Amino acid sequence: MAAIILSPLFTSPRRLSIHRSSNCHFALRVRAQTSSQLTVGSPPSASDRNTGVIVIGAGLAGLAAATHLASERIPFLLLEASDSVGGRVRTDLVDGFLLDRGFQIFITAYPEARKLLDYNSLDLQKFYSGAQVFYDGRFHTVADPVRHFLDSLGSLANPIGSVVDKLRIGLARLQVIGKSDEEILSAAEEPTIDLLMKLGFSDSVVDRFFRPFFGGIFFDPELGTTSRLFNFIFKCLALGDNTLPARGISAIPDQLARKLPPNSILFNTRVTSIRPEESGFPGVRLENGQVLRSQSGVIVAVDEPEAIRLLGREDDKTGHPGRKPARSTVCLYFTADQGQIPVRDPVLFLNGSGEGIVNNMFFATNVTRSYGPPGKVLVSVSLIGLFEDVPDDDLADEVVKELSGWFGEKVARSWKHLRTYRIRFAQPNQCPPTDLMKNPRHGLGVYVCGDYMTSATFDGALVSGRKAVEALLKDRAKSLA
């Protein structure tokens, strides 16, 4: 799933600043300090005020940029305003449960991620390749025919689309597999809903499957998102698995951070402005008043709203950010005893009824046991939108009431509400017109990266970090020629 979360607002019984159990958190920090020597929260001294490249933001895009700078042996400082890496890709520990900040799934077929990440050490745990769709008072199976052939045969006659619809899904799959990513991301575009209609899909499969499934990926139940992003995600789903890292989604940025050089990351270091310097390369002013000067450039790797603030205007080369409303979501977590859930399968449940506020849900501990303490279950429920006028407790009650219709009142009402995340900037809005291959250059010595520059996915963030560094290196080579 695409990256989530700029500044989540959440409530919980206990507020912890760590990601996992106390021992695991301490071990992670020790590893980070001993293997990567990360500098945490200490501003640079006077002797450190000049550096090769300044990277602002330690989300996936900033970490990817830092990784490529390190491989080129170009000195850099990675400045992060918060207390940890990851940006929107973060995991919290609450009462022994791992809570990803919003509904996030990692697709193993992401091409850039395959180059940068060690999948084995992430200990990726797979979802079932399909879904259970709630429609007409019961669940219906939608299964990947390549991975679950018998299940797919058994689902041919169910009401989640016709047999012809399911054949068309197979044909569309073959078509996207045969195209390169560049071809897909630069193709003529239209809203996803228009593409589905053009391909001949019936209203039943669109409303009961495509809206809740891809609407949950894009946080866009109207399916106005560009067909370019739909086809890219559709291809990745065909070629890879939906997974979760056993140690939480934050294991992905943590892995990238541990590979960086000693003393290269400064936490709790907020940049207030980017400023020109006499050298011709920009510098940055920190919240504490200090100025850092770059010798090769500044890479802005923050989310779209923060990029607008730092770059000073909206009509810039970030693809006209701010003109489209961001995608928002609410993620609620509940806990239960092992005997209080109806299934043990690692499957995603979709709301195909067209009614209610729940878009999708799953039992996270069915996917990876490490998301909860022994004998306990973690329930993850996702809504599209912010529901700002509904208090957390009332929203949780409404969700439980709705899920009582799915699983039975006795089951759903036994669950205990653990935490609610309201995620205002869950994902950039990528309705047409879009440019998913934007030029990262933004004036002399300033480069921009983030998923809003490419595709609104984990992979898009990683690609954008690489492209920013490639542009910087080309400009650097020209200046030295």
Side-chain angles (χ1 to χ4, degrees):
M1 295 283 164
I4 304 176
I5 313 151
L6 173 66
S7 54
L9 307 176
F10 53 83
T11 60
S12 71
R14 295 171 59 193
R15 291 180 179 271
L16 301 181
S17 61
I18 59 179
H19 294 306
R20 304 172 181 83
S21 70
S22 297
N23 289 338
C24 289
H25 170 74
F26 180 73
L28 172 65
R29 288 302 186 201
V30 169
R31 283 197 302 272
Q33 292 286 0
T34 55
S35 64
S36 296
Q37 293 297 304
L38 302 184
T39 302
V40 182
S42 56
S45 64
S47 62
D48 294 329
R49 290 182 182 176
N50 292 334
T51 186
V53 178
I54 297 170
V55 183
I56 307 171
L60 290 184
L63 290 167
T67 299
H68 290 288
L69 289 169
S71 69
E72 297 289 337
R73 298 186 178 181
I74 295 176
F76 67 89
L77 279 177
L78 178 54
L79 310 181
E80 170 55 41
S82 74
D83 61 353
S84 186
V85 299
R88 289 176 271 151
V89 186
R90 296 280 295 273
T91 304
D92 297 315
L93 175 78
V94 180
D95 296 344
F97 293 89
L98 293 178
L99 309 185
D100 295 332
R101 295 189 183 182
F103 175 53
Q104 304 190 59
I105 291 179
F106 180 73
I107 304 175
T108 57
Y110 284 144
E112 193 76 11
R114 285 178 167 177
K115 301 172 187 175
L116 287 179
L117 298 172
D118 178 355
Y119 283 12
N120 288 333
S121 69
L122 288 176
D123 193 11
L124 299 172
Q125 305 296 304
K126 298 178 183 179
F127 280 78
Y128 176 86
S129 296
Q132 289 288 326
V133 180
F134 184 74
Y135 172 74
D136 196 23
R138 55 171 294 201
F139 288 106
H140 306 273
T141 299
V142 174
D144 183 332
V146 174
R147 297 177 176 92
H148 307 292
F149 180 69
L150 293 179
D151 289 351
S152 67
L153 281 181
S155 68
L156 284 176
N158 72 26
I160 313 303
S162 65
V163 173
V164 174
D165 284 322
K166 288 154 191 174
L167 293 174
R168 285 194 173 112
I169 290 175
L171 179 60
R173 174 182 180 141
L174 291 174
Q175 289 174 338
V176 296
I177 288 175
K179 297 179 181 179
S180 70
D181 296 336
E182 291 75 15
E183 185 180 0
I184 289 173
L185 295 176
S186 61
E189 67 175 338
E190 58 191 320
T192 293
I193 185 64
D194 291 353
L195 172 66
L196 295 175
M197 294 295 101
K198 184 182 294 184
L199 292 175
F201 289 108
S202 69
D203 289 343
S204 65
V205 76
V206 168
D207 292 339
R208 298 167 197 171
F209 174 70
F210 284 107
R211 284 193 194 278
F213 186 74
F214 283 94
I217 292 175
F218 305 144
F219 305 114
D220 170 25
E222 302 305 316
L223 298 181
T225 298
T226 175
S227 54
R228 293 168 175 167
L229 188 57
F230 170 82
N231 281 328
F232 177 70
I233 293 290
F234 197 41
K235 177 182 176 180
C236 290
L237 290 169
L239 297 176
D241 294 303
N242 287 339
T243 68
L244 287 175
R247 296 180 300 281
I249 204 70
S250 65
I252 294 171
D254 287 347
Q255 183 184 105
L256 292 171
R258 285 197 297 269
K259 296 177 181 179
L260 297 180
N263 303 312
S264 60
I265 305 179
L266 300 180
F267 293 119
N268 303 307
T269 305
R270 182 176 295 277
V271 174
T272 59
S273 63
I274 301 170
R275 44 181 283 164
E277 297 291 335
E278 292 181 2
S279 65
F281 291 106
V284 302
R285 181 177 291 277
L286 305 182
E287 194 171 47
N288 64 7
Q290 285 187 300
V291 174
L292 304 181
R293 298 175 178 87
S294 71
Q295 296 168 338
S296 296
V298 171
I299 296 176
V300 179
V302 295
D303 280 326
E304 193 174 29
E306 180 68 0
I308 292 170
R309 185 188 70 80
L310 284 174
L311 296 171
R313 58 180 188 167
E314 297 189 9
D315 57 337
D316 54 34
K317 294 179 182 177
T318 61
H320 305 290
R323 295 187 178 181
K324 302 173 186 175
R327 302 302 189 188
S328 302
T329 185
V330 179
C331 181
L332 299 94
Y333 285 104
F334 299 85
T335 66
D337 292 329
Q338 193 68 49
Q340 295 173 329
I341 61 171
V343 297
R344 299 290 182 267
D345 297 322
V347 65
L348 183 67
F349 293 86
L350 302 176
N351 185 357
S353 70
E355 301 174 349
I357 62 173
V358 173
N359 186 77
N360 58 273
M361 61 85 62
F362 70 107
F363 301 100
T365 39
N366 285 2
V367 180
T368 173
R369 183 58 255 170
S370 53
Y371 266 56
K376 295 292 184 179
V377 172
L378 180 63
V379 185
S380 174
V381 183
S382 294
L383 321 179
I384 298 176
L386 273 181
F387 297 86
E388 291 182 286
D389 58 338
V390 184
D392 284 359
D393 288 345
D394 292 347
L395 193 60
D397 289 344
E398 191 170 348
V399 165
V400 168
K401 180 180 178 181
E402 184 172 333
L403 293 181
S404 295
W406 293 25
F407 301 111
E409 189 166 344
K410 182 178 180 181
V411 170
R413 293 200 178 277
S414 69
W415 302 344
K416 297 178 181 179
H417 178 225
L418 182 61
R419 176 171 285 195
T420 294
Y421 291 89
R422 296 178 187 263
I423 304 154
R424 185 173 300 279
F425 187 84
Q427 194 178 108
N429 183 322
Q430 295 197 321
C431 289
T434 65
D435 177 4
L436 304 187
M437 302 178 73
K438 299 182 183 73
N439 185 343
R441 294 176 176 86
H442 180 87
L444 181 61
V446 178
Y447 307 85
V448 183
C449 60
D451 58 0
Y452 60 95
M453 297 291 291
T454 51
S455 65
T457 62
F458 283 5
D459 211 61
L462 298 175
V463 167
S464 73
R466 170 175 56 81
K467 288 187 173 182
V469 172
E470 288 174 347
L472 182 149
L473 292 175
K474 288 181 181 178
D475 294 345
R476 187 169 180 258
K478 289 179 181 177
S479 69
L480 296 175

